[in-house]
Amino acid sequence: MPGGRLSQQERQRIAVGLADGLSYAEIARRLDRPTSTISREVGRNGGPAGYRAHQAHQATAQRARRGTPAPPRADGEAEGAVAEEMIELAVRSGMPRMTARVHVDLLLSENGRRTAAELTRRLKVSPASVSVAVNFLVDQGFVRRERDPQRRRDIYVVDDDAWYRSVVISARQTLESARAALAGADTVGLDDPAGQRMARAGAFLERVTLDMLESANRWRNLLT
């Protein structure tokens, strides 16, 4: 059941999942629980390296009997759980995992700025992997590239306007597809079933995309 307290069997499955290197999101999916439930459970009971199912179950039962709240998680554990959940959501939406890791690391940085060397060191990956990820993020508008002329290096920046840029770029790409479908419908002919399908799809995508662009421009002031 998605709601209610975790059972001892569920805690044992959490411990097995952690030992197997599964993410909080994957463990949550297998248990049909929210990711936040898993991250909170692990954070309150020793963290990923120190989690023990039996001790966690006993500690929860003792707290329930005493009516005492669960101990808070350390800031680092809380931030790690947030990062993991954001990465999993991005991956589910179609973003490559390495790209999602880079994006989330930038989002959670203090000033939204990192160099390629900093990303490589923090994520413990190759410079080539970071390069592929940041190029994608820049192309899609999620990240802006700045040049440091003194040290001759690029700095990657997530600023408040990134969300607007990414929405506009995505909408324009969809609009191109919509208009290609409409052009295809004219070529095939509206008396043909395929032409009718393309015309309907193109009209729908064009209208939704234009509405999205209008909405992005109308609400852009929320980012400033």
Side-chain angles (χ1 to χ4, degrees):
M1 294 293 291
R5 293 178 179 173
L6 290 165
S7 67
Q8 187 162 5
Q9 184 180 21
E10 286 177 312
R11 289 190 166 95
Q12 289 169 347
R13 292 176 65 186
I14 290 172
V16 170
L18 292 171
D20 289 343
L22 300 182
S23 67
Y24 291 160
E26 177 59 22
I27 294 171
R29 188 187 66 78
R30 295 185 180 192
L31 294 179
D32 193 22
R33 292 276 191 170
T35 304
S36 58
T37 296
I38 306 305
S39 63
R40 186 168 55 247
E41 164 71 14
V42 176
R44 288 173 174 173
N45 294 286
Y51 185 82
R52 301 292 182 270
H54 182 67
Q55 287 91 325
H57 198 69
Q58 283 188 327
T60 303
Q62 289 172 358
R63 287 195 295 266
R65 286 195 296 269
R66 296 171 185 167
T68 55
R73 289 181 295 180
D75 289 343
E77 291 176 354
E79 185 173 308
V82 170
E84 181 136 14
E85 188 161 5
M86 292 174 68
I87 289 167
E88 292 300 329
L89 288 171
V91 170
R92 260 183 269 162
S93 72
M95 184 179 284
R97 183 171 294 276
M98 186 67 251
T99 305
R101 290 182 64 201
V102 170
H103 190 212
V104 170
D105 190 68
L106 277 164
L107 284 171
L108 295 180
S109 63
E110 185 174 356
N111 58 3
R113 303 166 68 87
R114 299 242 195 257
T115 65
E118 288 172 333
L119 290 166
T120 298
R121 184 176 65 252
R122 286 178 55 80
L123 301 177
K124 297 179 176 60
V125 295
S126 69
S129 297
V130 169
S131 178
V132 170
V134 293
N135 285 339
F136 175 88
L137 292 169
V138 169
D139 288 344
Q140 297 302 311
F142 293 112
V143 170
R144 177 167 53 81
R145 182 186 281 111
E146 288 183 0
R147 186 69 177 170
D148 182 348
Q150 294 182 334
R151 302 183 66 178
R152 297 182 181 179
R153 63 180 184 178
D154 287 333
I155 301 172
Y156 300 100
V157 182
V158 174
D159 56 21
D160 288 338
D161 216 32
W163 302 109
Y164 173 79
R165 290 196 306 271
S166 64
V167 167
V168 169
I169 289 172
S170 176
R172 286 175 178 167
Q173 291 171 344
T174 304
L175 195 57
E176 289 179 6
S177 298
R179 289 174 175 166
L182 291 171
D186 287 341
T187 301
V188 174
L190 295 179
D191 56 342
D192 186 279
Q196 294 170 12
R197 282 196 301 274
M198 284 192 288
R200 288 194 295 270
F204 171 79
L205 289 174
E206 183 181 51
R207 176 43 52 200
V208 169
T209 304
L210 290 174
D211 285 350
M212 183 182 296
L213 285 169
E214 181 183 347
S215 182
N217 287 316
R218 184 168 66 252
W219 297 109
R220 188 178 184 181
N221 66 309
L222 293 176
L223 296 171
T224 59

